[in-house]
């Protein structure tokens, strides 16, 4: 059981690192979290492999307005060397009067 708890904790840490990298524009570092054949999939675009993922994010994510990603309510199912994770997310953007909600939804990750 201890190994599974350590795996789940490492997965939560990875999800949180993803958010910080995205918010700080560190797309190359973010892309290194993906396997060589890993995919970043959104309803409007897919990218495969770290180089393609980093290039797509650098091209499509503006530096302003600043944003903050929040990931929460993660349900993690570990099965040997793989895991499936469902998490809610909320993105806040900097507005003239302070942060405002931008988008929210559900992440579905395979690790």
């Amino acid at each position: 059981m201890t190994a599974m708890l350590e795996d789940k904790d490492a997965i939560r840490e990875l999800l949180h690192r993803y958010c910080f990298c995205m918010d700080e524009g560190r797309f190359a570092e973010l892309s290194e979290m993906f396997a060589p054949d890993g995919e970043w999939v959104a309803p409007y675009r897919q990218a495969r492999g770290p180089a393609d993922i980093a290039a797509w994010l650098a091209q499509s994510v503006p530096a302003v307005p600043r944003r903050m990603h929040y990931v929460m309510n993660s349900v993690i199912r570990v099965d040997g060397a793989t895991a499936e994770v469902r998490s809610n997310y909320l993105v806040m953007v900097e507005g003239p009067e302070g942060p405002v909600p931008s988008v929210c939804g559900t992440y579905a990750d395979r690790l």
Side-chain angles (χ1 to χ4, degrees):
M1 184 68 161
T2 301
M4 182 176 293
L5 293 176
E6 290 173 355
D7 289 345
K8 288 184 174 189
D9 193 45
I11 290 167
R12 283 186 198 92
E13 180 83 12
L14 179 74
L15 296 172
H16 298 162
R17 255 184 55 220
Y18 173 93
C19 291
F20 280 108
C21 286
M22 180 68 84
D23 295 340
E24 296 166 2
R26 295 183 286 135
F27 305 127
E29 185 178 338
L30 182 152
S31 73
E32 292 169 5
M33 296 178 202
F34 288 80
D37 62 344
E39 290 182 285
W40 186 87
V41 179
Y44 49 86
R45 175 70 154 81
Q46 293 185 21
R48 181 184 289 267
D52 191 29
I53 292 167
W56 164 244
L57 293 175
Q59 172 190 348
S60 65
V61 178
V64 292
R66 290 195 47 190
R67 67 193 52 74
M68 291 186 94
H69 286 71
Y70 296 91
V71 64
M72 64 215 86
N73 302 332
S74 298
V75 177
I76 303 168
R77 187 171 57 86
V78 176
D79 184 15
T82 63
E84 291 189 4
V85 184
R86 285 181 48 90
S87 305
N88 292 330
Y89 69 88
L90 169 65
V91 180
M92 303 289 287
V93 296
E94 187 175 48
E97 312 251 337
V100 294
S102 171
V103 65
C104 63
T106 302
Y107 287 140
D109 296 300
R110 277 180 255 147
L111 305 136

